[in-house]
Amino acid sequence: SQQGEEDPQALSIQEGENATMNCSYKTSINNLQWYRQNSGRGLVHLILIRSNEREKHSGRLRVTLDTSKKSSSLLITASRAADTASYFCATQTGANNLFFGTGTRLTVIP
Amino acid sequence: DTGVSQNPRHKITKRGQNVTFRCDPISEHNRLYWYRQTLGQGPEFLTYFQNEAQLEKSRLLSDRFSAERPKGSFSTLEIQRTEQGDSAMYLCAGRLAGGPGEQFFGPGTRLTVL
């Protein structure tokens, strides 16, 4: 079964607005990662946050992690049409494979 | 570009046929993963290799599935006696030795079983 669950399932915003998507998971983790997938393409790694970190930034991306609530959020600021994609959180519980959520489909309207 | 390539990109086959997919990671990827993704879902883990050793297999990987990484470089995933339920995108990912954990995905092979 999938480890993570993203919320909302779909999000539509105007270009320039901020987009926030959330991820909840079930078990203890080593790290949590966010990936982007454009239509028909492979996944691209965006950002990794370790279990002992609470917040991380990368360009227009901001990720938070609350291990007590087993949740994470991804904020994309000043969105662009090119940000239109599906966003997945993925948890790593050991040294090995990732458990992906069901994804949030983001549409940025020009 | 992650440097991970997969072939073929698309495969259409009839039920009952065998298919084989190939994944070529970059040389620095000592770990290689296979995932399956169906429409509207996130990828699901199938199996992973560290160098040439297959260290973990998911319960999703039935007896009809087999994967190899003979020299610790490229990998193949074979599905025997395909079923319509095998239709999915099959993704391969590499991971750098000593890296923090991010995986670098190939473009995937889309399998359609008629």
Side-chain angles (χ1 to χ4, degrees), chain A residues 6-7 38 41 43 46 103 107-108:
Chain A
E6 284 93 340
D7 171 62
N38 295 96
R41 299 185 187 180
L43 287 103
L46 296 176
T107 301
V108 180

Side-chain angles (χ1 to χ4, degrees), chain B residues 5 12 29 33 41 45 57 87 98 111:
Chain B
S5 61
I12 300 174
H29 291 159
Y33 302 80
Q41 299 295 315
F45 169 74
K57 292 194 288 187
S87 295
L111 172 67

Side-chain angles (χ1 to χ4, degrees), chain A residues 9-27:
Chain A
Q9 290 187 330
L11 180 60
S12 183
I13 59 174
Q14 296 289 329
E15 199 166 31
E17 294 180 339
N18 296 342
T20 300
M21 48 205 90
N22 304 295
C23 168
S24 60
Y25 57 92
K26 299 175 183 175
T27 63

